[in-house]
Amino acid sequence: MAARDEVEEPSRVAGAVVLVALGGGALAVLFALAVEAGVLAVWVAAVVAVWWSARRRVSDSSATPPPQPDRPSCRECAGHELVEVTPSETQKGMLIYKSAPPDRPNHTHIHMVQGEVNAR
């Protein structure tokens, strides 16, 4: 019997069911206490859901483009091996190129470059 190194990811549906059950229970308690409070809670939840959905849609449209095959060059990084290309988490549209010189394995040279969108 082979050992499993794979980690099972929790189901998104199961998480949604738990959230709906907890939200429904809280909403039932609010309606039991005061109908007005329950109606207000439904309206607030709807506004938050629309706001969250619109915010996600805007952030998806400005996603960082995939890394380009060519990389930036300078005098210092000539002959370096490309280690990694990652999108910047703080500056949208920027790519971080990391390279390492062959004679200094613990040294990393970094460039931040504006990513370009390829028209296909």
Side-chain angles (χ1 to χ4, degrees), residues 69-85 97-111:
D70 51 292
R71 62 181 184 174
S73 62
C74 71
R75 286 182 287 152
E76 293 181 40
C77 64
H80 287 197
E81 178 182 336
L82 185 62
V83 176
E84 180 180 21
V85 179
Y97 286 80
K98 296 180 185 177
S99 63
D103 57 340
R104 296 175 64 193
N106 294 330
H107 178 76
T108 303
H109 186 78
I110 297 176
H111 283 277

Side-chain angles (χ1 to χ4, degrees), residues 15-91:
V17 169
V18 169
L19 288 176
V20 167
L22 290 174
L27 194 58
V29 168
L30 278 175
F31 269 106
L33 294 175
V35 175
E36 294 83 9
V39 171
L40 181 63
V42 169
W43 274 99
V44 168
V47 168
V48 168
V50 168
W51 173 79
W52 182 70
S53 176
R55 186 170 175 232
R56 281 191 52 172
R57 192 172 309 270
V58 168
S59 67
D60 288 347
S61 67
S62 62
T64 304
Q68 303 300 313
D70 51 292
R71 62 181 184 174
S73 62
C74 71
R75 286 182 287 152
E76 293 181 40
C77 64
H80 287 197
E81 178 182 336
L82 185 62
V83 176
E84 180 180 21
V85 179
T86 56
S88 173
E89 293 179 5
T90 57
Q91 297 178 348

